[in-house]
Coordinates of all heavy atoms in Angstrom, one line a residue:
M79 N 87.3 98.3 90.3 CA 88.4 98.7 89.4 C 88.7 97.3 88.5 O 88.8 96.3 89.0 CB 89.7 99.0 90.1 CG 90.7 99.7 89.2 SD 92.2 100.2 90.1 CE 91.6 101.2 91.4
K80 N 88.8 97.5 87.2 CA 89.0 96.4 86.3 C 90.4 95.9 86.5 O 91.3 96.7 87.1 CB 88.9 96.8 84.8 CG 87.3 97.0 84.5 CD 87.2 97.2 83.1 CE 85.7 97.5 82.7 NZ 85.6 97.7 81.3
Y81 N 90.7 94.7 86.1 CA 92.1 94.1 86.2 C 93.1 94.9 85.6 O 94.1 95.1 86.0 CB 92.0 92.7 85.8 CG 93.4 92.0 85.8 CD1 93.9 91.6 87.0 CD2 94.1 91.8 84.7 CE1 95.2 91.0 87.1 CE2 95.3 91.2 84.8 CZ 95.8 90.8 86.0 OH 97.1 90.2 86.1
K82 N 92.8 95.4 84.3 CA 93.8 96.1 83.6 C 94.1 97.4 84.2 O 95.3 97.9 84.3 CB 93.4 96.4 82.1 CG 93.3 95.1 81.2 CD 93.3 95.3 79.9 CE 92.2 96.1 79.4 NZ 92.0 96.2 77.8
H83 N 93.1 98.1 84.8 CA 93.3 99.4 85.5 C 94.1 99.2 86.8 O 95.0 99.9 87.2 CB 92.0 100.1 85.7 CG 91.4 100.6 84.5 ND1 90.1 100.1 84.1 CD2 91.8 101.4 83.5 CE1 89.8 100.7 82.9 NE2 90.8 101.5 82.6
A84 N 93.7 98.1 87.5 CA 94.3 97.8 88.8 C 95.9 97.5 88.5 O 96.7 97.9 89.3 CB 93.7 96.6 89.5
F85 N 96.1 96.8 87.4 CA 97.5 96.3 87.1 C 98.3 97.6 86.7 O 99.3 97.7 87.1 CB 97.4 95.3 86.0 CG 98.7 94.8 85.5 CD1 99.3 93.8 86.4 CD2 99.4 95.2 84.4 CE1 100.5 93.2 86.2 CE2 100.6 94.5 84.1 CZ 101.2 93.6 85.0
A86 N 97.7 98.5 86.0 CA 98.4 99.8 85.5 C 98.6 100.6 86.8 O 99.7 101.2 87.0 CB 97.6 100.5 84.5
V87 N 97.7 100.8 87.6 CA 97.9 101.6 88.7 C 98.9 101.1 89.8 O 99.7 101.8 90.4 CB 96.4 101.9 89.6 CG1 96.7 102.5 90.8 CG2 95.6 102.8 88.7
G88 N 98.8 99.7 89.8 CA 99.8 99.0 90.8 C 101.2 99.2 90.2 O 102.1 99.5 91.0
N89 N 101.4 99.1 89.0 CA 102.7 99.2 88.4 C 103.1 100.6 88.5 O 104.3 101.0 88.8 CB 102.7 98.8 86.9 CG 102.7 97.4 86.8 OD1 103.2 96.6 87.6 ND2 102.4 96.9 85.6
L90 N 102.2 101.6 88.4 CA 102.7 103.0 88.5 C 103.0 103.3 89.9 O 104.0 104.0 90.1 CB 101.4 103.9 88.1 CG 101.7 105.4 88.2 CD1 102.7 105.8 87.1 CD2 100.4 106.1 88.0
L91 N 102.3 102.9 90.9 CA 102.6 103.1 92.3 C 104.0 102.3 92.7 O 104.8 102.9 93.4 CB 101.5 102.6 93.2 CG 100.3 103.4 93.3 CD1 99.3 102.8 94.2 CD2 100.7 104.8 93.8
M92 N 104.2 101.2 92.0 CA 105.4 100.5 92.3 C 106.6 101.3 91.7 O 107.7 101.5 92.4 CB 105.4 99.1 91.7 CG 104.6 98.1 92.5 SD 104.5 96.5 91.8 CE 106.2 95.9 91.9
A93 N 106.4 101.8 90.5 CA 107.4 102.6 90.0 C 107.8 104.0 90.7 O 108.9 104.4 90.9 CB 107.2 103.0 88.5
I94 N 106.6 104.6 91.2 CA 106.8 105.8 92.0 C 107.5 105.5 93.3 O 108.5 106.2 93.7 CB 105.4 106.5 92.3 CG1 104.9 107.1 91.0 CG2 105.6 107.6 93.3 CD1 103.4 107.5 91.1
G95 N 107.2 104.4 93.9 CA 107.8 104.0 95.2 C 109.3 103.7 95.0 O 110.1 104.1 95.8
M96 N 109.6 103.0 93.9 CA 111.0 102.7 93.6 C 111.8 103.9 93.3 O 113.0 104.0 93.8 CB 111.1 101.8 92.5 CG 112.5 101.2 92.1 SD 113.3 100.2 93.5 CE 112.1 98.7 93.4
V97 N 111.3 104.8 92.6 CA 112.0 106.1 92.3 C 112.1 106.9 93.6 O 113.2 107.5 93.9 CB 111.2 107.0 91.2 CG1 111.8 108.3 91.2 CG2 111.4 106.2 89.9
L98 N 111.1 106.9 94.5 CA 111.3 107.7 95.7 C 112.3 107.0 96.6 O 113.1 107.7 97.3 CB 109.9 107.8 96.3 CG 109.7 108.5 97.6 CD1 110.0 110.1 97.4 CD2 108.3 108.5 98.2
M99 N 112.3 105.8 96.7 CA 113.3 105.1 97.6 C 114.7 105.3 97.0 O 115.6 105.6 97.9 CB 113.0 103.5 97.6 CG 111.9 103.2 98.4 SD 111.9 101.3 98.7 CE 111.5 100.7 97.1
L100 N 114.9 105.1 95.8 CA 116.3 105.2 95.2 C 116.7 106.8 95.3 O 117.9 107.0 95.6 CB 116.4 104.7 93.7 CG 116.2 103.3 93.6 CD1 116.3 102.8 92.2 CD2 117.3 102.5 94.3
G101 N 115.8 107.7 94.9 CA 116.1 109.2 95.0 C 116.5 109.4 96.5 O 117.5 110.2 96.8
S102 N 115.7 109.0 97.5 CA 116.0 109.4 98.9 C 117.2 108.8 99.4 O 118.1 109.4 100.1 CB 114.8 108.9 99.7 OG 113.7 109.5 99.4
L103 N 117.5 107.5 98.9 CA 118.7 106.8 99.3 C 119.9 107.6 98.7 O 120.9 107.8 99.5 CB 118.7 105.4 98.9 CG 119.9 104.6 99.3 CD1 119.9 104.4 100.8 CD2 119.8 103.2 98.6
G104 N 119.8 107.9 97.5 CA 121.0 108.7 96.9 C 121.2 110.0 97.5 O 122.4 110.3 97.8
Y105 N 120.2 110.7 97.8 CA 120.4 112.0 98.3 C 120.9 111.9 99.8 O 121.8 112.7 100.2 CB 118.9 112.8 98.6 CG 119.1 114.1 99.1 CD1 119.7 115.2 98.5 CD2 118.7 114.3 100.5 CE1 119.8 116.3 99.2 CE2 118.8 115.5 101.1 CZ 119.4 116.6 100.4 OH 119.6 117.7 101.0
N106 N 120.4 110.9 100.5 CA 120.9 110.7 101.9 C 122.4 110.3 101.9 O 123.1 110.8 102.7 CB 120.0 109.6 102.6 CG 120.1 109.7 104.0 OD1 120.8 110.5 104.6 ND2 119.3 108.9 104.7
L107 N 122.8 109.4 101.0 CA 124.2 109.0 101.0 C 125.1 110.1 100.5 O 126.2 110.4 101.1 CB 124.3 107.9 100.1 CG 123.8 106.5 100.6 CD1 124.0 105.4 99.5 CD2 124.5 106.0 101.8
L108 N 124.5 111.0 99.5 CA 125.4 112.1 99.0 C 125.6 113.2 100.1 O 126.6 113.8 100.1 CB 124.8 112.6 97.7 CG 125.1 111.6 96.5 CD1 124.3 112.4 95.3 CD2 126.5 111.6 96.2
S109 N 124.6 113.4 100.8 CA 124.6 114.5 101.9 C 125.5 114.0 102.9 O 126.0 114.9 103.7 CB 123.1 114.7 102.4 OG 122.7 113.7 103.1
H110 N 125.6 112.7 103.3 CA 126.5 112.3 104.3 C 128.0 112.2 103.8 O 128.9 112.4 104.6 CB 126.1 110.9 104.8 CG 125.0 111.1 105.8 ND1 123.7 111.1 105.4 CD2 125.0 111.2 107.1 CE1 122.9 111.2 106.5 NE2 123.7 111.3 107.6
I111 N 128.2 111.9 102.5 CA 129.6 111.8 102.0 C 130.2 113.2 101.6 O 131.3 113.6 102.0 CB 129.5 110.9 100.7 CG1 129.2 109.5 101.2 CG2 130.9 111.0 100.0 CD1 129.0 108.5 99.9
F112 N 129.4 114.0 100.8 CA 129.8 115.3 100.4 C 129.1 116.4 101.2 O 127.9 116.4 101.3 CB 129.7 115.5 98.9 CG 130.3 114.5 98.0 CD1 129.5 113.5 97.4 CD2 131.6 114.3 98.0 CE1 130.0 112.5 96.6 CE2 132.3 113.3 97.2 CZ 131.4 112.5 96.5
P113 N 129.9 117.4 101.6 CA 129.1 118.6 102.2 C 128.4 119.5 101.2 O 129.0 120.2 100.4 CB 130.3 119.3 102.9 CG 131.6 119.0 102.1 CD 131.3 117.6 101.6
L114 N 127.1 119.2 101.1 CA 126.3 120.0 100.1 C 125.9 121.4 100.5 O 125.4 122.2 99.7 CB 125.1 119.0 99.7 CG 125.3 117.7 99.2 CD1 124.0 117.0 99.0 CD2 126.1 117.8 97.8
G115 N 126.0 121.6 101.8 CA 125.6 122.9 102.3 C 124.0 123.0 102.4 O 123.5 124.2 102.5
L116 N 123.3 122.0 102.5 CA 121.8 122.0 102.6 C 121.4 121.8 104.1 O 122.3 121.2 104.8 CB 121.2 121.0 101.6 CG 121.5 121.2 100.2 CD1 121.0 120.1 99.3 CD2 120.8 122.5 99.7
P117 N 120.2 122.2 104.5 CA 119.8 121.9 105.8 C 119.8 120.5 106.2 O 119.5 119.7 105.4 CB 118.4 122.6 105.9 CG 118.3 123.4 104.7 CD 119.2 123.0 103.7
D118 N 120.0 120.2 107.5 CA 119.9 118.9 108.0 C 118.6 118.3 108.1 O 118.4 117.1 107.9 CB 120.5 118.8 109.4 CG 122.1 119.0 109.4 OD1 122.6 118.8 108.4 OD2 122.5 119.5 110.5
I119 N 117.5 119.1 108.0 CA 116.2 118.6 107.9 C 115.9 117.9 106.6 O 115.1 117.0 106.6 CB 115.1 119.7 108.2 CG1 113.7 119.2 108.4 CG2 115.1 120.7 107.0 CD1 113.7 118.6 109.8
L120 N 116.5 118.3 105.5 CA 116.3 117.5 104.3 C 116.9 116.2 104.3 O 116.4 115.3 103.7 CB 116.9 118.3 103.1 CG 116.2 119.6 102.8 CD1 117.0 120.4 101.7 CD2 114.8 119.4 102.3
S121 N 118.0 116.1 105.1 CA 118.7 114.7 105.2 C 117.8 113.8 106.0 O 117.6 112.6 105.7 CB 120.0 114.8 105.8 OG 120.6 113.6 106.0
D122 N 117.1 114.3 107.0 CA 116.3 113.5 107.8 C 114.9 113.2 107.0 O 114.4 112.2 107.2 CB 115.8 114.3 109.2 CG 117.0 114.5 110.0 OD1 117.9 113.7 109.9 OD2 117.0 115.4 110.9
A123 N 114.4 114.1 106.2 CA 113.3 113.9 105.4 C 113.6 112.9 104.4 O 112.8 112.1 104.0 CB 112.8 115.2 104.7
S124 N 114.8 112.9 103.9 CA 115.2 111.8 102.8 C 115.2 110.5 103.4 O 114.9 109.5 102.8 CB 116.4 112.2 102.1 OG 117.5 112.0 103.0
L125 N 115.6 110.4 104.7 CA 115.6 109.1 105.4 C 114.1 108.6 105.5 O 113.9 107.4 105.3 CB 116.3 109.3 106.8 CG 116.5 108.0 107.4 CD1 117.4 107.1 106.7 CD2 117.1 108.2 108.8
M126 N 113.2 109.5 105.9 CA 111.8 109.1 105.9 C 111.3 108.7 104.5 O 110.4 108.0 104.4 CB 111.0 110.1 106.5 CG 110.9 110.1 108.1 SD 110.5 108.6 108.7 CE 108.7 108.6 108.4
G127 N 111.8 109.4 103.5 CA 111.4 109.1 102.2 C 111.7 107.7 101.7 O 110.9 107.1 100.8
I128 N 112.8 107.1 102.2 CA 113.1 105.7 101.9 C 111.9 104.8 102.5 O 111.4 103.9 101.6 CB 114.4 105.3 102.6 CG1 115.6 106.0 102.0 CG2 114.6 103.8 102.4 CD1 116.8 105.9 102.7
F129 N 111.4 105.1 103.6 CA 110.3 104.2 104.2 C 109.0 104.5 103.6 O 108.2 103.6 103.3 CB 110.3 104.5 105.7 CG 111.5 103.9 106.4 CD1 112.4 104.9 106.9 CD2 111.8 102.5 106.5 CE1 113.5 104.3 107.5 CE2 112.9 102.2 107.1 CZ 113.9 103.1 107.6
I130 N 108.7 105.8 103.2 CA 107.5 106.1 102.5 C 107.5 105.5 101.1 O 106.5 105.0 100.7 CB 107.4 107.7 102.5 CG1 107.1 108.2 103.9 CG2 106.2 108.0 101.5 CD1 107.1 109.7 104.0
G131 N 108.7 105.6 100.5 CA 108.8 105.0 99.1 C 108.5 103.4 99.2 O 107.9 102.8 98.3
A132 N 109.0 102.8 100.2 CA 108.7 101.4 100.4 C 107.3 101.1 100.7 O 106.7 100.1 100.2 CB 109.6 100.8 101.7
L133 N 106.6 101.9 101.5 CA 105.1 101.7 101.7 C 104.3 101.9 100.4 O 103.5 101.3 100.1 CB 104.7 102.7 102.8 CG 105.0 102.3 104.2 CD1 104.7 103.4 105.1 CD2 104.5 101.0 104.5
V134 N 104.8 102.9 99.6 CA 104.0 103.1 98.3 C 104.3 102.0 97.4 O 103.5 101.5 96.6 CB 104.5 104.6 97.7 CG1 104.0 104.6 96.2 CG2 104.1 105.7 98.5
W135 N 105.5 101.5 97.4 CA 105.8 100.3 96.5 C 105.0 99.1 96.9 O 104.4 98.4 96.2 CB 107.3 99.9 96.6 CG 107.7 98.9 95.7 CD1 108.1 99.1 94.4 CD2 108.0 97.6 96.0 NE1 108.5 97.9 93.8 CE2 108.3 97.0 94.7 CE3 107.8 96.8 97.0 CZ2 108.6 95.5 94.6 CZ3 108.0 95.4 97.0 CH2 108.4 94.8 95.8
L136 N 104.9 98.9 98.3 CA 104.1 97.7 98.7 C 102.6 97.9 98.5 O 101.8 96.9 98.2 CB 104.3 97.5 100.3 CG 105.6 96.9 100.7 CD1 105.7 97.0 102.2 CD2 105.8 95.5 100.1
A137 N 102.0 99.2 98.5 CA 100.7 99.4 98.1 C 100.5 99.1 96.7 O 99.4 98.6 96.4 CB 100.3 100.8 98.5
G138 N 101.4 99.6 95.8 CA 101.3 99.2 94.5 C 101.3 97.7 94.1 O 100.6 97.2 93.3
A139 N 102.2 97.0 94.9 CA 102.2 95.5 94.7 C 100.8 94.9 95.1 O 100.5 93.9 94.5 CB 103.3 95.0 95.6
R140 N 100.3 95.5 96.3 CA 99.0 94.9 96.7 C 97.9 95.3 95.7 O 97.0 94.3 95.4 CB 98.7 95.6 98.0 CG 97.3 95.0 98.6 CD 97.4 93.7 99.1 NE 96.3 93.3 99.8 CZ 95.9 92.1 100.1 NH1 96.7 91.3 99.8 NH2 94.8 91.9 100.5
I141 N 97.8 96.4 95.2 CA 96.8 96.9 94.2 C 97.0 96.0 92.9 O 96.0 95.6 92.3 CB 96.8 98.3 94.0 CG1 96.3 99.1 95.2 CG2 95.9 98.7 92.8 CD1 96.4 100.6 95.1
G142 N 98.2 95.9 92.5 CA 98.6 95.3 91.1 C 98.3 93.8 91.2 O 98.4 93.1 90.1
G143 N 98.2 93.2 92.4 CA 98.1 91.8 92.5 C 99.4 90.9 92.4 O 99.3 89.8 92.3
R144 N 100.4 91.6 92.7 CA 101.7 90.8 92.8 C 102.1 90.2 94.0 O 102.9 89.3 94.1 CB 102.9 91.8 92.3 CG 102.7 92.2 90.9 CD 103.8 93.1 90.4 NE 103.6 93.7 89.3 CZ 104.1 93.3 88.1 NH1 104.9 92.2 88.0 NH2 103.9 93.8 86.9
E145 N 101.4 90.6 95.1 CA 101.7 90.1 96.4 C 101.1 88.7 96.6 O 101.8 88.0 97.2 CB 101.1 91.1 97.4 CG 101.4 90.8 98.8 CD 100.9 91.8 99.8 OE1 99.7 91.8 100.0 OE2 101.6 92.6 100.4
T146 N 100.0 88.4 96.1 CA 99.4 87.1 96.3 C 100.2 86.0 95.6 O 100.2 84.9 96.1 CB 98.0 87.1 95.9 OG1 98.0 87.5 94.4 CG2 97.1 88.0 96.7
V147 N 100.8 86.3 94.6 CA 101.6 85.3 93.8 C 102.7 84.8 94.5 O 103.0 83.6 94.7 CB 101.9 85.8 92.4 CG1 102.8 84.8 91.6 CG2 100.8 86.1 91.5
A148 N 103.4 85.7 95.0 CA 104.6 85.3 95.8 C 104.3 84.5 97.2 O 104.9 83.6 97.5 CB 105.5 86.5 96.2
E149 N 103.2 85.0 97.8 CA 102.8 84.3 98.9 C 102.4 82.9 98.6 O 102.6 81.9 99.3 CB 101.6 85.0 99.6 CG 102.2 86.3 100.4 CD 101.0 87.0 100.9 OE1 99.8 86.6 100.7 OE2 101.2 88.1 101.5
R150 N 101.7 82.7 97.5 CA 101.1 81.3 97.1 C 102.3 80.4 96.9 O 102.4 79.2 97.3 CB 100.3 81.5 95.9 CG 99.8 80.1 95.6 CD 98.8 80.2 94.4 NE 99.8 80.3 93.2 CZ 99.4 80.8 92.0 NH1 98.1 81.2 91.9 NH2 100.2 80.9 91.1
Y151 N 103.4 80.9 96.1 CA 104.5 80.0 96.0 C 105.3 79.7 97.2 O 105.8 78.6 97.4 CB 105.4 80.6 94.8 CG 104.8 80.7 93.5 CD1 105.0 81.7 92.6 CD2 104.0 79.5 93.0 CE1 104.5 81.7 91.3 CE2 103.5 79.5 91.8 CZ 103.6 80.6 90.9 OH 103.1 80.6 89.7
W152 N 105.4 80.7 98.1 CA 106.1 80.5 99.4 C 105.3 79.4 100.2 O 105.9 78.6 100.8 CB 106.1 81.8 100.1 CG 106.9 81.6 101.4 CD1 108.2 81.8 101.6 CD2 106.3 81.3 102.6 NE1 108.5 81.5 102.9 CE2 107.4 81.2 103.6 CE3 105.0 81.1 103.2 CZ2 107.2 80.9 104.9 CZ3 104.8 80.8 104.5 CH2 105.9 80.7 105.4
W153 N 104.0 79.5 100.1 CA 103.2 78.5 100.8 C 103.4 77.2 100.2 O 103.6 76.2 101.0 CB 101.6 78.9 100.8 CG 100.8 78.0 101.6 CD1 100.1 77.0 101.0 CD2 100.6 77.9 102.9 NE1 99.4 76.3 102.0 CE2 99.7 76.9 103.2 CE3 101.1 78.7 103.9 CZ2 99.4 76.6 104.4 CZ3 100.7 78.3 105.3 CH2 99.8 77.4 105.5
L154 N 103.3 77.0 98.9 CA 103.6 75.7 98.4 C 104.9 75.1 98.6 O 105.0 74.0 99.0 CB 103.4 75.9 96.8 CG 102.0 76.0 96.3 CD1 102.0 76.2 94.8 CD2 101.1 74.8 96.7
R155 N 106.0 76.0 98.6 CA 107.3 75.5 98.7 C 107.6 75.0 100.2 O 108.2 74.1 100.5 CB 108.2 76.5 98.4 CG 109.8 76.1 98.4 CD 110.7 77.2 97.8 NE 110.6 78.4 98.6 CZ 110.4 79.5 98.2 NH1 110.3 79.8 97.0 NH2 110.4 80.6 99.0
N156 N 106.9 75.7 101.1 CA 107.2 75.4 102.5 C 106.1 74.5 103.2 O 106.5 73.8 104.3 CB 107.3 76.7 103.4 CG 108.6 77.5 102.9 OD1 109.7 76.9 103.0 ND2 108.4 78.7 102.6
H157 N 104.9 74.5 102.8 CA 103.8 73.8 103.5 C 103.1 72.8 102.7 O 102.2 72.2 103.3 CB 102.9 74.8 104.1 CG 103.6 75.7 105.1 ND1 103.9 75.2 106.4 CD2 103.9 77.0 105.1 CE1 104.5 76.3 107.0 NE2 104.4 77.3 106.4
D158 N 103.3 72.7 101.4 CA 102.6 71.6 100.7 C 103.6 70.4 100.5 O 104.6 70.5 100.1 CB 102.2 72.2 99.3 CG 101.2 71.3 98.6 OD1 101.0 70.2 99.1 OD2 100.6 71.8 97.7
E159 N 103.1 69.2 100.8 CA 103.8 68.0 100.8 C 104.4 67.7 99.4 O 105.3 67.0 99.3 CB 103.1 66.8 101.4 CG 103.0 66.9 102.9 CD 104.2 66.8 103.6 OE1 105.1 66.0 103.1 OE2 104.4 67.5 104.7
R160 N 103.6 68.1 98.4 CA 103.9 67.7 97.0 C 105.1 68.3 96.5 O 105.9 67.9 95.7 CB 102.8 67.9 96.0 CG 101.6 67.1 96.3 CD 100.4 67.5 95.4 NE 100.0 68.8 95.9 CZ 99.1 69.5 95.3 NH1 98.5 69.0 94.1 NH2 98.7 70.7 95.7
Y161 N 105.3 69.7 97.1 CA 106.4 70.5 96.6 C 107.5 70.6 97.6 O 108.6 71.3 97.3 CB 105.8 71.8 96.2 CG 104.9 71.9 95.1 CD1 103.6 71.9 95.4 CD2 105.3 71.7 93.8 CE1 102.6 71.9 94.3 CE2 104.4 71.6 92.8 CZ 103.0 71.7 93.0 OH 102.0 71.7 92.0
R162 N 107.5 70.1 98.8 CA 108.4 70.2 99.8 C 109.6 69.3 99.5 O 109.5 68.2 98.9 CB 107.8 69.7 101.2 CG 108.9 70.0 102.3 CD 108.3 69.6 103.5 NE 107.3 70.5 104.0 CZ 106.6 70.4 105.2 NH1 106.8 69.3 105.9 NH2 105.8 71.4 105.5
R163 N 110.9 69.8 99.7 CA 112.0 69.1 99.5 C 112.3 68.0 100.6 O 112.0 68.2 101.7 CB 113.3 70.0 99.5 CG 113.3 70.9 98.3 CD 114.7 71.6 98.4 NE 114.8 72.5 97.3 CZ 115.9 73.2 97.1 NH1 116.9 73.2 97.9 NH2 116.0 74.0 96.1
H164 N 112.5 66.8 100.2 CA 112.8 65.7 101.0 C 114.2 65.3 100.6 O 114.6 64.5 99.7 CB 111.9 64.6 100.7 CG 110.5 64.9 101.1 ND1 110.0 65.1 102.4 CD2 109.4 65.1 100.2 CE1 108.8 65.4 102.3 NE2 108.3 65.4 101.1
D165 N 115.3 65.9 101.4 CA 116.6 65.6 101.1 C 117.1 64.1 101.6 O 118.1 63.6 101.1 CB 117.5 66.6 101.8 CG 117.4 67.9 101.2 OD1 117.1 68.0 100.0 OD2 117.6 68.9 102.1
N166 N 116.2 63.4 102.4 CA 116.6 62.1 102.9 C 116.3 61.0 101.9 O 116.6 59.8 102.2 CB 116.0 61.9 104.3 CG 114.6 62.0 104.3 OD1 113.9 62.2 103.2 ND2 113.9 61.7 105.4
H167 N 115.6 61.3 100.9 CA 115.3 60.2 99.9 C 116.4 59.7 99.0 O 116.3 58.8 98.5 CB 114.1 60.5 99.1 CG 114.3 61.5 98.0 ND1 114.4 62.8 98.2 CD2 114.6 61.4 96.7 CE1 114.7 63.5 97.1 NE2 114.8 62.6 96.1
R168 N 117.5 60.5 98.9 CA 118.6 60.2 98.2 C 119.6 59.3 98.8 O 120.1 58.5 98.2 CB 119.4 61.5 97.7 CG 118.6 62.3 96.7 CD 119.4 63.5 96.2 NE 118.7 64.3 95.4 CZ 119.1 65.5 95.0 NH1 120.2 65.9 95.3 NH2 118.3 66.2 94.2
Y169 N 119.7 59.5 100.1 CA 120.7 58.8 100.9 C 120.0 58.1 101.9 O 119.7 58.6 103.1 CB 121.8 59.8 101.4 CG 122.4 60.6 100.4 CD1 122.2 62.0 100.3 CD2 123.2 60.0 99.4 CE1 122.6 62.7 99.3 CE2 123.9 60.8 98.5 CZ 123.5 62.2 98.4 OH 124.1 62.9 97.5
P170 N 119.6 56.8 101.9 CA 118.8 56.2 102.9 C 119.7 55.8 104.2 O 120.8 55.9 104.2 CB 118.4 54.9 102.2 CG 119.1 54.8 100.9 CD 119.8 56.1 100.6

């Protein structure tokens, strides 16, 4: 898959995952706050929809190449001597 196509598919999956998470969260909260008169199985399914949406969002981040950038910067900030904070150099 070319970079442009992978980037587009990754962004699409991230958007679908975010909509699924927010929609499931909204439905779950509304069904617990207001009596909607719907079956309880839909409330349980919406709770699973939050986690499924998170997995779809993570898959989109992996396909789109956004996961490696964050890991690289985390690695530089925490394990590379050039970028690590040395708080003791100001106050000897």
